Amino acid sequence: MLRRLSTLLVIPLMALAAIGLPAAPARADDIAAAGRGVVRVVTIAVVDDQVVGFGHGSGFAVAPNRIVTNAHVVDLAERYPDNVVVGVVPTEGDKSYQGKVIAYDAQRDLALIEFTGARLPPSALYTGPIDEGGAVVSLGFPGNVDLATARSAADYIRPTSPVRSEGVFSGRRTLGDIEVLLHTASIARGNSGGPLLDRCGRVIGVNSAITRGEEGDSTFGFAIADTELAAFLREAKQPYAAVGTACTSIEDRLRQDSDAEVRAATDAAAARRDAASQAALSRERALEQARIEAEHMRENVMAIAGLLLVAGALGIGTAGLLESRGRRQAAIWTVAGGGVAVVAAVVVFVLRPSGAVDLPAAPAGRAASTAGRSVPVVEDKALGTLMCRLIPERSRITISSSDDVPILWGAGGCVNGKTQYVAGNGRWERVLVPETEQTVSLLSFDPLTRTYANTRYLMSGSGMAAARAARGETPGQCTTDPAAITRLVGQQSAVRATLPPLPNEKLVYSCALAD
């Protein structure tokens, strides 16, 4: 006898993320970084100055001041814009902000909200393949958690961190002619509009609905698929970050890149040795050729001295013969000429070349010796405008663009005519702590291998405040002043001390002279 199957009811959600199975997040915690761009979306209906309705869902930033959520979360605001207030509540800080709906797609169940007053770290859309059975993470504000923990209505507009839940991707389906992702991450009412993420924190869908299982059936979540989200944003003329590289752990990437860096350094060292060996061989050949030419010159000079000596002796002998024949005047001139020739022969012989030769000293190498060990010396010459192209197999990207990066490399570590790098570890380095982004970047450039790297830490608000305090005031232009360089080195060390143990991203580029 067949077991009776329960009916599954598809229920709209109202937020993202939920309570799920405990799993070990990446040590760099890309999910926490993505969570800083997740918001609670609140709708408050007011009639005659009286609150007559209240609802909330979740959303996430696709630009510093623009939020994606479900259309059904802001449906009342779309229908009654004069009577419904839309609130955006970030996960950090102490304020919430009023927003307005600027794009609305009921069929796809997606909406775009704009607000002012704060800048959020935007999420990136993952455009690569999603493997069935792969890990997914949901972030948001499930209503059942709010009911259990909220003490008053004010808690719904007070910034708090989103709830995360984990599950697996179960496949693509269609729901009302819209492509959706089926997954097992726990979500509830209130998660609507929140992001469904891969384990690197990239958005793969927008949570929108759940199934309710009767008689013990499992519950599944539905998320508006990445394809639908991308189409919605394009139609709304909203630019967004897109990343197509596969997700790898930062630990694996750093280890692999370290190995690649060692190989590159070894290859560069071998190339230097080959070049030095070739230069030494060429120098030895040039030295041998110079010795031969010098010896020929010495022999020629000595031959000339001999000829002059013979000519002088013949002149003196001829003078005696002339004297005996009564030609005294001619004899005197002949003796004088012979004497001059003999003196010239002596002078030429004494001043003859020694035959010893040498060549100009070879240029100094990249390493200097200090206390018996080799210390890399960074080349500081200007290289001009370089175009740096990403090396995907050495990079890990969660939200950043993979576009080419042009840099103008000047002498002494001056970049783009304004940013001063400092020499260290055989390369040029600089720590950047921007004022308007929640990211600290460790930049480095090796002039020998023409390798440029950007190691990025996606920071919390408090982490950025600590990094900015450690940074202090930095020079706004390039400098060669030793005191200023020493101060910059100290500031960079202070910033490094505030950073987490591991970064979130590392972008490695190969640079070449721009065409």
mmCIF file with all atom_site columns, all heavy atoms in Angstrom, residues 69-79 101-113 232 235-236:
data_model
loop_
_atom_site.group_PDB
_atom_site.id
_atom_site.type_symbol
_atom_site.label_atom_id
_atom_site.label_alt_id
_atom_site.label_comp_id
_atom_site.label_asym_id
_atom_site.label_entity_id
_atom_site.label_seq_id
_atom_site.pdbx_PDB_ins_code
_atom_site.Cartn_x
_atom_site.Cartn_y
_atom_site.Cartn_z
_atom_site.occupancy
_atom_site.B_iso_or_equiv
_atom_site.pdbx_formal_charge
_atom_site.auth_seq_id
_atom_site.auth_comp_id
_atom_site.auth_asym_id
_atom_site.auth_atom_id
_atom_site.pdbx_PDB_model_num
ATOM 1   N N   . THR A 1 69  ? 15.185 43.524 -3.254  1.00 0.00 ? 69  THR A N   1
ATOM 2   C CA  . THR A 1 69  ? 14.322 42.739 -2.374  1.00 0.00 ? 69  THR A CA  1
ATOM 3   C C   . THR A 1 69  ? 13.234 42.100 -3.235  1.00 0.00 ? 69  THR A C   1
ATOM 4   O O   . THR A 1 69  ? 13.241 42.240 -4.466  1.00 0.00 ? 69  THR A O   1
ATOM 5   C CB  . THR A 1 69  ? 13.714 43.614 -1.265  1.00 0.00 ? 69  THR A CB  1
ATOM 6   O OG1 . THR A 1 69  ? 13.040 42.770 -0.318  1.00 0.00 ? 69  THR A OG1 1
ATOM 7   C CG2 . THR A 1 69  ? 12.735 44.632 -1.826  1.00 0.00 ? 69  THR A CG2 1
ATOM 8   N N   . ASN A 1 70  ? 12.307 41.380 -2.600  1.00 0.00 ? 70  ASN A N   1
ATOM 9   C CA  . ASN A 1 70  ? 11.166 40.822 -3.334  1.00 0.00 ? 70  ASN A CA  1
ATOM 10  C C   . ASN A 1 70  ? 10.122 41.895 -3.597  1.00 0.00 ? 70  ASN A C   1
ATOM 11  O O   . ASN A 1 70  ? 9.924  42.814 -2.787  1.00 0.00 ? 70  ASN A O   1
ATOM 12  C CB  . ASN A 1 70  ? 10.514 39.704 -2.542  1.00 0.00 ? 70  ASN A CB  1
ATOM 13  C CG  . ASN A 1 70  ? 11.265 38.384 -2.654  1.00 0.00 ? 70  ASN A CG  1
ATOM 14  O OD1 . ASN A 1 70  ? 11.272 37.598 -1.715  1.00 0.00 ? 70  ASN A OD1 1
ATOM 15  N ND2 . ASN A 1 70  ? 11.888 38.107 -3.786  1.00 0.00 ? 70  ASN A ND2 1
ATOM 16  N N   . ALA A 1 71  ? 9.433  41.763 -4.708  1.00 0.00 ? 71  ALA A N   1
ATOM 17  C CA  . ALA A 1 71  ? 8.341  42.690 -5.008  1.00 0.00 ? 71  ALA A CA  1
ATOM 18  C C   . ALA A 1 71  ? 7.241  42.581 -3.963  1.00 0.00 ? 71  ALA A C   1
ATOM 19  O O   . ALA A 1 71  ? 6.639  43.592 -3.581  1.00 0.00 ? 71  ALA A O   1
ATOM 20  C CB  . ALA A 1 71  ? 7.797  42.417 -6.407  1.00 0.00 ? 71  ALA A CB  1
ATOM 21  N N   . HIS A 1 72  ? 6.984  41.350 -3.476  1.00 0.00 ? 72  HIS A N   1
ATOM 22  C CA  . HIS A 1 72  ? 5.869  41.226 -2.523  1.00 0.00 ? 72  HIS A CA  1
ATOM 23  C C   . HIS A 1 72  ? 6.187  41.848 -1.170  1.00 0.00 ? 72  HIS A C   1
ATOM 24  O O   . HIS A 1 72  ? 5.300  42.133 -0.380  1.00 0.00 ? 72  HIS A O   1
ATOM 25  C CB  . HIS A 1 72  ? 5.435  39.755 -2.365  1.00 0.00 ? 72  HIS A CB  1
ATOM 26  C CG  . HIS A 1 72  ? 6.383  38.883 -1.616  1.00 0.00 ? 72  HIS A CG  1
ATOM 27  N ND1 . HIS A 1 72  ? 7.203  37.957 -2.229  1.00 0.00 ? 72  HIS A ND1 1
ATOM 28  C CD2 . HIS A 1 72  ? 6.625  38.765 -0.285  1.00 0.00 ? 72  HIS A CD2 1
ATOM 29  C CE1 . HIS A 1 72  ? 7.901  37.313 -1.307  1.00 0.00 ? 72  HIS A CE1 1
ATOM 30  N NE2 . HIS A 1 72  ? 7.559  37.783 -0.120  1.00 0.00 ? 72  HIS A NE2 1
ATOM 31  N N   . VAL A 1 73  ? 7.476  42.095 -0.899  1.00 0.00 ? 73  VAL A N   1
ATOM 32  C CA  . VAL A 1 73  ? 7.842  42.765 0.356   1.00 0.00 ? 73  VAL A CA  1
ATOM 33  C C   . VAL A 1 73  ? 7.387  44.227 0.336   1.00 0.00 ? 73  VAL A C   1
ATOM 34  O O   . VAL A 1 73  ? 6.972  44.778 1.357   1.00 0.00 ? 73  VAL A O   1
ATOM 35  C CB  . VAL A 1 73  ? 9.359  42.664 0.592   1.00 0.00 ? 73  VAL A CB  1
ATOM 36  C CG1 . VAL A 1 73  ? 9.795  43.539 1.778   1.00 0.00 ? 73  VAL A CG1 1
ATOM 37  C CG2 . VAL A 1 73  ? 9.770  41.218 0.841   1.00 0.00 ? 73  VAL A CG2 1
ATOM 38  N N   . VAL A 1 74  ? 7.477  44.870 -0.821  1.00 0.00 ? 74  VAL A N   1
ATOM 39  C CA  . VAL A 1 74  ? 7.140  46.295 -0.932  1.00 0.00 ? 74  VAL A CA  1
ATOM 40  C C   . VAL A 1 74  ? 5.892  46.506 -1.774  1.00 0.00 ? 74  VAL A C   1
ATOM 41  O O   . VAL A 1 74  ? 5.683  47.591 -2.330  1.00 0.00 ? 74  VAL A O   1
ATOM 42  C CB  . VAL A 1 74  ? 8.333  47.087 -1.514  1.00 0.00 ? 74  VAL A CB  1
ATOM 43  C CG1 . VAL A 1 74  ? 9.510  47.087 -0.545  1.00 0.00 ? 74  VAL A CG1 1
ATOM 44  C CG2 . VAL A 1 74  ? 8.759  46.519 -2.870  1.00 0.00 ? 74  VAL A CG2 1
ATOM 45  N N   . ASP A 1 75  ? 5.072  45.491 -1.875  1.00 0.00 ? 75  ASP A N   1
ATOM 46  C CA  . ASP A 1 75  ? 3.881  45.590 -2.718  1.00 0.00 ? 75  ASP A CA  1
ATOM 47  C C   . ASP A 1 75  ? 2.975  46.749 -2.299  1.00 0.00 ? 75  ASP A C   1
ATOM 48  O O   . ASP A 1 75  ? 2.487  47.517 -3.123  1.00 0.00 ? 75  ASP A O   1
ATOM 49  C CB  . ASP A 1 75  ? 3.118  44.269 -2.674  1.00 0.00 ? 75  ASP A CB  1
ATOM 50  C CG  . ASP A 1 75  ? 1.839  44.318 -3.487  1.00 0.00 ? 75  ASP A CG  1
ATOM 51  O OD1 . ASP A 1 75  ? 1.942  44.520 -4.712  1.00 0.00 ? 75  ASP A OD1 1
ATOM 52  O OD2 . ASP A 1 75  ? 0.753  44.178 -2.903  1.00 0.00 ? 75  ASP A OD2 1
ATOM 53  N N   . LEU A 1 76  ? 2.756  46.898 -0.987  1.00 0.00 ? 76  LEU A N   1
ATOM 54  C CA  . LEU A 1 76  ? 1.889  47.978 -0.510  1.00 0.00 ? 76  LEU A CA  1
ATOM 55  C C   . LEU A 1 76  ? 2.472  49.350 -0.850  1.00 0.00 ? 76  LEU A C   1
ATOM 56  O O   . LEU A 1 76  ? 1.747  50.276 -1.220  1.00 0.00 ? 76  LEU A O   1
ATOM 57  C CB  . LEU A 1 76  ? 1.674  47.864 0.997   1.00 0.00 ? 76  LEU A CB  1
ATOM 58  C CG  . LEU A 1 76  ? 0.680  46.792 1.467   1.00 0.00 ? 76  LEU A CG  1
ATOM 59  C CD1 . LEU A 1 76  ? 0.619  46.771 2.987   1.00 0.00 ? 76  LEU A CD1 1
ATOM 60  C CD2 . LEU A 1 76  ? -0.706 47.041 0.884   1.00 0.00 ? 76  LEU A CD2 1
ATOM 61  N N   . ALA A 1 77  ? 3.792  49.476 -0.752  1.00 0.00 ? 77  ALA A N   1
ATOM 62  C CA  . ALA A 1 77  ? 4.440  50.751 -1.071  1.00 0.00 ? 77  ALA A CA  1
ATOM 63  C C   . ALA A 1 77  ? 4.314  51.072 -2.549  1.00 0.00 ? 77  ALA A C   1
ATOM 64  O O   . ALA A 1 77  ? 4.198  52.242 -2.938  1.00 0.00 ? 77  ALA A O   1
ATOM 65  C CB  . ALA A 1 77  ? 5.908  50.705 -0.666  1.00 0.00 ? 77  ALA A CB  1
ATOM 66  N N   . GLU A 1 78  ? 4.327  50.041 -3.388  1.00 0.00 ? 78  GLU A N   1
ATOM 67  C CA  . GLU A 1 78  ? 4.162  50.256 -4.815  1.00 0.00 ? 78  GLU A CA  1
ATOM 68  C C   . GLU A 1 78  ? 2.735  50.678 -5.136  1.00 0.00 ? 78  GLU A C   1
ATOM 69  O O   . GLU A 1 78  ? 2.514  51.547 -5.979  1.00 0.00 ? 78  GLU A O   1
ATOM 70  C CB  . GLU A 1 78  ? 4.518  48.970 -5.577  1.00 0.00 ? 78  GLU A CB  1
ATOM 71  C CG  . GLU A 1 78  ? 4.310  49.029 -7.078  1.00 0.00 ? 78  GLU A CG  1
ATOM 72  C CD  . GLU A 1 78  ? 5.275  49.976 -7.785  1.00 0.00 ? 78  GLU A CD  1
ATOM 73  O OE1 . GLU A 1 78  ? 6.251  50.441 -7.152  1.00 0.00 ? 78  GLU A OE1 1
ATOM 74  O OE2 . GLU A 1 78  ? 5.042  50.273 -8.969  1.00 0.00 ? 78  GLU A OE2 1
ATOM 75  N N   . ARG A 1 79  ? 1.765  50.088 -4.433  1.00 0.00 ? 79  ARG A N   1
ATOM 76  C CA  . ARG A 1 79  ? 0.362  50.396 -4.722  1.00 0.00 ? 79  ARG A CA  1
ATOM 77  C C   . ARG A 1 79  ? -0.101 51.678 -4.030  1.00 0.00 ? 79  ARG A C   1
ATOM 78  O O   . ARG A 1 79  ? -0.941 52.406 -4.553  1.00 0.00 ? 79  ARG A O   1
ATOM 79  C CB  . ARG A 1 79  ? -0.512 49.229 -4.295  1.00 0.00 ? 79  ARG A CB  1
ATOM 80  C CG  . ARG A 1 79  ? -0.369 48.000 -5.204  1.00 0.00 ? 79  ARG A CG  1
ATOM 81  C CD  . ARG A 1 79  ? -1.417 46.954 -4.872  1.00 0.00 ? 79  ARG A CD  1
ATOM 82  N NE  . ARG A 1 79  ? -1.153 46.338 -3.574  1.00 0.00 ? 79  ARG A NE  1
ATOM 83  C CZ  . ARG A 1 79  ? -2.067 45.659 -2.873  1.00 0.00 ? 79  ARG A CZ  1
ATOM 84  N NH1 . ARG A 1 79  ? -3.314 45.561 -3.337  1.00 0.00 ? 79  ARG A NH1 1
ATOM 85  N NH2 . ARG A 1 79  ? -1.750 45.097 -1.731  1.00 0.00 ? 79  ARG A NH2 1
ATOM 86  N N   . VAL A 1 101 ? 10.880 52.898 -3.747  1.00 0.00 ? 101 VAL A N   1
ATOM 87  C CA  . VAL A 1 101 ? 10.943 51.869 -4.777  1.00 0.00 ? 101 VAL A CA  1
ATOM 88  C C   . VAL A 1 101 ? 11.172 52.541 -6.119  1.00 0.00 ? 101 VAL A C   1
ATOM 89  O O   . VAL A 1 101 ? 10.400 53.411 -6.541  1.00 0.00 ? 101 VAL A O   1
ATOM 90  C CB  . VAL A 1 101 ? 9.639  51.042 -4.810  1.00 0.00 ? 101 VAL A CB  1
ATOM 91  C CG1 . VAL A 1 101 ? 9.705  49.992 -5.916  1.00 0.00 ? 101 VAL A CG1 1
ATOM 92  C CG2 . VAL A 1 101 ? 9.397  50.381 -3.458  1.00 0.00 ? 101 VAL A CG2 1
ATOM 93  N N   . ILE A 1 102 ? 12.249 52.143 -6.832  1.00 0.00 ? 102 ILE A N   1
ATOM 94  C CA  . ILE A 1 102 ? 12.557 52.763 -8.120  1.00 0.00 ? 102 ILE A CA  1
ATOM 95  C C   . ILE A 1 102 ? 12.428 51.770 -9.273  1.00 0.00 ? 102 ILE A C   1
ATOM 96  O O   . ILE A 1 102 ? 12.489 52.169 -10.434 1.00 0.00 ? 102 ILE A O   1
ATOM 97  C CB  . ILE A 1 102 ? 13.970 53.380 -8.122  1.00 0.00 ? 102 ILE A CB  1
ATOM 98  C CG1 . ILE A 1 102 ? 15.034 52.325 -7.861  1.00 0.00 ? 102 ILE A CG1 1
ATOM 99  C CG2 . ILE A 1 102 ? 14.066 54.501 -7.094  1.00 0.00 ? 102 ILE A CG2 1
ATOM 100 C CD1 . ILE A 1 102 ? 16.456 52.849 -8.042  1.00 0.00 ? 102 ILE A CD1 1
ATOM 101 N N   . ALA A 1 103 ? 12.275 50.488 -8.979  1.00 0.00 ? 103 ALA A N   1
ATOM 102 C CA  . ALA A 1 103 ? 12.034 49.482 -10.020 1.00 0.00 ? 103 ALA A CA  1
ATOM 103 C C   . ALA A 1 103 ? 11.229 48.359 -9.386  1.00 0.00 ? 103 ALA A C   1
ATOM 104 O O   . ALA A 1 103 ? 11.497 47.960 -8.242  1.00 0.00 ? 103 ALA A O   1
ATOM 105 C CB  . ALA A 1 103 ? 13.337 48.953 -10.600 1.00 0.00 ? 103 ALA A CB  1
ATOM 106 N N   . TYR A 1 104 ? 10.268 47.833 -10.144 1.00 0.00 ? 104 TYR A N   1
ATOM 107 C CA  . TYR A 1 104 ? 9.329  46.853 -9.577  1.00 0.00 ? 104 TYR A CA  1
ATOM 108 C C   . TYR A 1 104 ? 8.925  45.873 -10.671 1.00 0.00 ? 104 TYR A C   1
ATOM 109 O O   . TYR A 1 104 ? 8.516  46.283 -11.764 1.00 0.00 ? 104 TYR A O   1
ATOM 110 C CB  . TYR A 1 104 ? 8.098  47.588 -9.037  1.00 0.00 ? 104 TYR A CB  1
ATOM 111 C CG  . TYR A 1 104 ? 7.085  46.734 -8.324  1.00 0.00 ? 104 TYR A CG  1
ATOM 112 C CD1 . TYR A 1 104 ? 7.196  46.485 -6.970  1.00 0.00 ? 104 TYR A CD1 1
ATOM 113 C CD2 . TYR A 1 104 ? 5.994  46.197 -9.011  1.00 0.00 ? 104 TYR A CD2 1
ATOM 114 C CE1 . TYR A 1 104 ? 6.249  45.713 -6.303  1.00 0.00 ? 104 TYR A CE1 1
ATOM 115 C CE2 . TYR A 1 104 ? 5.046  45.433 -8.354  1.00 0.00 ? 104 TYR A CE2 1
ATOM 116 C CZ  . TYR A 1 104 ? 5.178  45.189 -6.998  1.00 0.00 ? 104 TYR A CZ  1
ATOM 117 O OH  . TYR A 1 104 ? 4.240  44.440 -6.333  1.00 0.00 ? 104 TYR A OH  1
ATOM 118 N N   . ASP A 1 105 ? 9.092  44.579 -10.410 1.00 0.00 ? 105 ASP A N   1
ATOM 119 C CA  . ASP A 1 105 ? 8.736  43.533 -11.370 1.00 0.00 ? 105 ASP A CA  1
ATOM 120 C C   . ASP A 1 105 ? 7.939  42.474 -10.635 1.00 0.00 ? 105 ASP A C   1
ATOM 121 O O   . ASP A 1 105 ? 8.503  41.593 -9.973  1.00 0.00 ? 105 ASP A O   1
ATOM 122 C CB  . ASP A 1 105 ? 9.999  42.928 -11.991 1.00 0.00 ? 105 ASP A CB  1
ATOM 123 C CG  . ASP A 1 105 ? 9.704  41.989 -13.151 1.00 0.00 ? 105 ASP A CG  1
ATOM 124 O OD1 . ASP A 1 105 ? 8.632  41.362 -13.148 1.00 0.00 ? 105 ASP A OD1 1
ATOM 125 O OD2 . ASP A 1 105 ? 10.567 41.863 -14.044 1.00 0.00 ? 105 ASP A OD2 1
ATOM 126 N N   . ALA A 1 106 ? 6.609  42.572 -10.741 1.00 0.00 ? 106 ALA A N   1
ATOM 127 C CA  . ALA A 1 106 ? 5.743  41.643 -10.020 1.00 0.00 ? 106 ALA A CA  1
ATOM 128 C C   . ALA A 1 106 ? 5.917  40.223 -10.522 1.00 0.00 ? 106 ALA A C   1
ATOM 129 O O   . ALA A 1 106 ? 5.829  39.253 -9.734  1.00 0.00 ? 106 ALA A O   1
ATOM 130 C CB  . ALA A 1 106 ? 4.294  42.088 -10.146 1.00 0.00 ? 106 ALA A CB  1
ATOM 131 N N   . GLN A 1 107 ? 6.148  40.030 -11.820 1.00 0.00 ? 107 GLN A N   1
ATOM 132 C CA  . GLN A 1 107 ? 6.261  38.681 -12.355 1.00 0.00 ? 107 GLN A CA  1
ATOM 133 C C   . GLN A 1 107 ? 7.497  37.970 -11.811 1.00 0.00 ? 107 GLN A C   1
ATOM 134 O O   . GLN A 1 107 ? 7.430  36.809 -11.402 1.00 0.00 ? 107 GLN A O   1
ATOM 135 C CB  . GLN A 1 107 ? 6.321  38.721 -13.883 1.00 0.00 ? 107 GLN A CB  1
ATOM 136 C CG  . GLN A 1 107 ? 6.352  37.332 -14.517 1.00 0.00 ? 107 GLN A CG  1
ATOM 137 C CD  . GLN A 1 107 ? 6.396  37.390 -16.025 1.00 0.00 ? 107 GLN A CD  1
ATOM 138 O OE1 . GLN A 1 107 ? 6.575  38.457 -16.608 1.00 0.00 ? 107 GLN A OE1 1
ATOM 139 N NE2 . GLN A 1 107 ? 6.210  36.237 -16.668 1.00 0.00 ? 107 GLN A NE2 1
ATOM 140 N N   . ARG A 1 108 ? 8.621  38.676 -11.794 1.00 0.00 ? 108 ARG A N   1
ATOM 141 C CA  . ARG A 1 108 ? 9.840  38.073 -11.249 1.00 0.00 ? 108 ARG A CA  1
ATOM 142 C C   . ARG A 1 108 ? 9.887  38.154 -9.725  1.00 0.00 ? 108 ARG A C   1
ATOM 143 O O   . ARG A 1 108 ? 10.765 37.569 -9.105  1.00 0.00 ? 108 ARG A O   1
ATOM 144 C CB  . ARG A 1 108 ? 11.075 38.782 -11.826 1.00 0.00 ? 108 ARG A CB  1
ATOM 145 C CG  . ARG A 1 108 ? 11.355 38.496 -13.296 1.00 0.00 ? 108 ARG A CG  1
ATOM 146 C CD  . ARG A 1 108 ? 12.750 38.974 -13.650 1.00 0.00 ? 108 ARG A CD  1
ATOM 147 N NE  . ARG A 1 108 ? 13.106 38.683 -15.040 1.00 0.00 ? 108 ARG A NE  1
ATOM 148 C CZ  . ARG A 1 108 ? 13.029 39.545 -16.034 1.00 0.00 ? 108 ARG A CZ  1
ATOM 149 N NH1 . ARG A 1 108 ? 12.589 40.785 -15.801 1.00 0.00 ? 108 ARG A NH1 1
ATOM 150 N NH2 . ARG A 1 108 ? 13.371 39.195 -17.247 1.00 0.00 ? 108 ARG A NH2 1
ATOM 151 N N   . ASP A 1 109 ? 8.977  38.906 -9.127  1.00 0.00 ? 109 ASP A N   1
ATOM 152 C CA  . ASP A 1 109 ? 8.948  39.115 -7.681  1.00 0.00 ? 109 ASP A CA  1
ATOM 153 C C   . ASP A 1 109 ? 10.244 39.782 -7.204  1.00 0.00 ? 109 ASP A C   1
ATOM 154 O O   . ASP A 1 109 ? 10.851 39.371 -6.211  1.00 0.00 ? 109 ASP A O   1
ATOM 155 C CB  . ASP A 1 109 ? 8.722  37.806 -6.936  1.00 0.00 ? 109 ASP A CB  1
ATOM 156 C CG  . ASP A 1 109 ? 8.308  38.036 -5.480  1.00 0.00 ? 109 ASP A CG  1
ATOM 157 O OD1 . ASP A 1 109 ? 7.902  39.178 -5.155  1.00 0.00 ? 109 ASP A OD1 1
ATOM 158 O OD2 . ASP A 1 109 ? 8.396  37.094 -4.672  1.00 0.00 ? 109 ASP A OD2 1
ATOM 159 N N   . LEU A 1 110 ? 10.647 40.841 -7.920  1.00 0.00 ? 110 LEU A N   1
ATOM 160 C CA  . LEU A 1 110 ? 11.855 41.572 -7.564  1.00 0.00 ? 110 LEU A CA  1
ATOM 161 C C   . LEU A 1 110 ? 11.568 43.067 -7.568  1.00 0.00 ? 110 LEU A C   1
ATOM 162 O O   . LEU A 1 110 ? 10.746 43.555 -8.349  1.00 0.00 ? 110 LEU A O   1
ATOM 163 C CB  . LEU A 1 110 ? 12.993 41.276 -8.543  1.00 0.00 ? 110 LEU A CB  1
ATOM 164 C CG  . LEU A 1 110 ? 13.545 39.845 -8.532  1.00 0.00 ? 110 LEU A CG  1
ATOM 165 C CD1 . LEU A 1 110 ? 14.533 39.644 -9.668  1.00 0.00 ? 110 LEU A CD1 1
ATOM 166 C CD2 . LEU A 1 110 ? 14.193 39.515 -7.184  1.00 0.00 ? 110 LEU A CD2 1
ATOM 167 N N   . ALA A 1 111 ? 12.259 43.776 -6.685  1.00 0.00 ? 111 ALA A N   1
ATOM 168 C CA  . ALA A 1 111 ? 12.119 45.231 -6.610  1.00 0.00 ? 111 ALA A CA  1
ATOM 169 C C   . ALA A 1 111 ? 13.471 45.835 -6.257  1.00 0.00 ? 111 ALA A C   1
ATOM 170 O O   . ALA A 1 111 ? 14.338 45.177 -5.665  1.00 0.00 ? 111 ALA A O   1
ATOM 171 C CB  . ALA A 1 111 ? 11.076 45.627 -5.576  1.00 0.00 ? 111 ALA A CB  1
ATOM 172 N N   . LEU A 1 112 ? 13.657 47.105 -6.640  1.00 0.00 ? 112 LEU A N   1
ATOM 173 C CA  . LEU A 1 112 ? 14.884 47.835 -6.354  1.00 0.00 ? 112 LEU A CA  1
ATOM 174 C C   . LEU A 1 112 ? 14.533 49.068 -5.547  1.00 0.00 ? 112 LEU A C   1
ATOM 175 O O   . LEU A 1 112 ? 13.653 49.842 -5.926  1.00 0.00 ? 112 LEU A O   1
ATOM 176 C CB  . LEU A 1 112 ? 15.569 48.226 -7.659  1.00 0.00 ? 112 LEU A CB  1
ATOM 177 C CG  . LEU A 1 112 ? 16.965 48.862 -7.569  1.00 0.00 ? 112 LEU A CG  1
ATOM 178 C CD1 . LEU A 1 112 ? 17.960 47.868 -6.988  1.00 0.00 ? 112 LEU A CD1 1
ATOM 179 C CD2 . LEU A 1 112 ? 17.430 49.327 -8.952  1.00 0.00 ? 112 LEU A CD2 1
ATOM 180 N N   . ILE A 1 113 ? 15.219 49.238 -4.415  1.00 0.00 ? 113 ILE A N   1
ATOM 181 C CA  . ILE A 1 113 ? 14.966 50.350 -3.500  1.00 0.00 ? 113 ILE A CA  1
ATOM 182 C C   . ILE A 1 113 ? 16.194 51.246 -3.465  1.00 0.00 ? 113 ILE A C   1
ATOM 183 O O   . ILE A 1 113 ? 17.331 50.769 -3.398  1.00 0.00 ? 113 ILE A O   1
ATOM 184 C CB  . ILE A 1 113 ? 14.665 49.840 -2.079  1.00 0.00 ? 113 ILE A CB  1
ATOM 185 C CG1 . ILE A 1 113 ? 13.434 48.936 -2.085  1.00 0.00 ? 113 ILE A CG1 1
ATOM 186 C CG2 . ILE A 1 113 ? 14.475 50.996 -1.101  1.00 0.00 ? 113 ILE A CG2 1
ATOM 187 C CD1 . ILE A 1 113 ? 13.223 48.218 -0.761  1.00 0.00 ? 113 ILE A CD1 1
ATOM 188 N N   . PHE A 1 232 ? 16.583 41.360 -14.457 1.00 0.00 ? 232 PHE A N   1
ATOM 189 C CA  . PHE A 1 232 ? 15.877 42.458 -13.781 1.00 0.00 ? 232 PHE A CA  1
ATOM 190 C C   . PHE A 1 232 ? 16.783 43.680 -13.617 1.00 0.00 ? 232 PHE A C   1
ATOM 191 O O   . PHE A 1 232 ? 16.375 44.814 -13.890 1.00 0.00 ? 232 PHE A O   1
ATOM 192 C CB  . PHE A 1 232 ? 15.376 41.978 -12.414 1.00 0.00 ? 232 PHE A CB  1
ATOM 193 C CG  . PHE A 1 232 ? 14.906 43.080 -11.507 1.00 0.00 ? 232 PHE A CG  1
ATOM 194 C CD1 . PHE A 1 232 ? 13.699 43.719 -11.740 1.00 0.00 ? 232 PHE A CD1 1
ATOM 195 C CD2 . PHE A 1 232 ? 15.678 43.485 -10.423 1.00 0.00 ? 232 PHE A CD2 1
ATOM 196 C CE1 . PHE A 1 232 ? 13.258 44.749 -10.906 1.00 0.00 ? 232 PHE A CE1 1
ATOM 197 C CE2 . PHE A 1 232 ? 15.252 44.494 -9.590  1.00 0.00 ? 232 PHE A CE2 1
ATOM 198 C CZ  . PHE A 1 232 ? 14.036 45.127 -9.826  1.00 0.00 ? 232 PHE A CZ  1
ATOM 199 N N   . GLU A 1 235 ? 17.349 45.419 -16.959 1.00 0.00 ? 235 GLU A N   1
ATOM 200 C CA  . GLU A 1 235 ? 16.182 46.180 -17.382 1.00 0.00 ? 235 GLU A CA  1
ATOM 201 C C   . GLU A 1 235 ? 16.006 47.439 -16.537 1.00 0.00 ? 235 GLU A C   1
ATOM 202 O O   . GLU A 1 235 ? 15.507 48.460 -17.025 1.00 0.00 ? 235 GLU A O   1
ATOM 203 C CB  . GLU A 1 235 ? 14.933 45.298 -17.279 1.00 0.00 ? 235 GLU A CB  1
ATOM 204 C CG  . GLU A 1 235 ? 14.909 44.174 -18.316 1.00 0.00 ? 235 GLU A CG  1
ATOM 205 C CD  . GLU A 1 235 ? 13.787 43.188 -18.079 1.00 0.00 ? 235 GLU A CD  1
ATOM 206 O OE1 . GLU A 1 235 ? 12.908 43.482 -17.236 1.00 0.00 ? 235 GLU A OE1 1
ATOM 207 O OE2 . GLU A 1 235 ? 13.774 42.124 -18.727 1.00 0.00 ? 235 GLU A OE2 1
ATOM 208 N N   . ALA A 1 236 ? 16.441 47.382 -15.273 1.00 0.00 ? 236 ALA A N   1
ATOM 209 C CA  . ALA A 1 236 ? 16.368 48.556 -14.399 1.00 0.00 ? 236 ALA A CA  1
ATOM 210 C C   . ALA A 1 236 ? 17.542 49.504 -14.616 1.00 0.00 ? 236 ALA A C   1
ATOM 211 O O   . ALA A 1 236 ? 17.648 50.527 -13.932 1.00 0.00 ? 236 ALA A O   1
ATOM 212 C CB  . ALA A 1 236 ? 16.316 48.111 -12.936 1.00 0.00 ? 236 ALA A CB  1
#
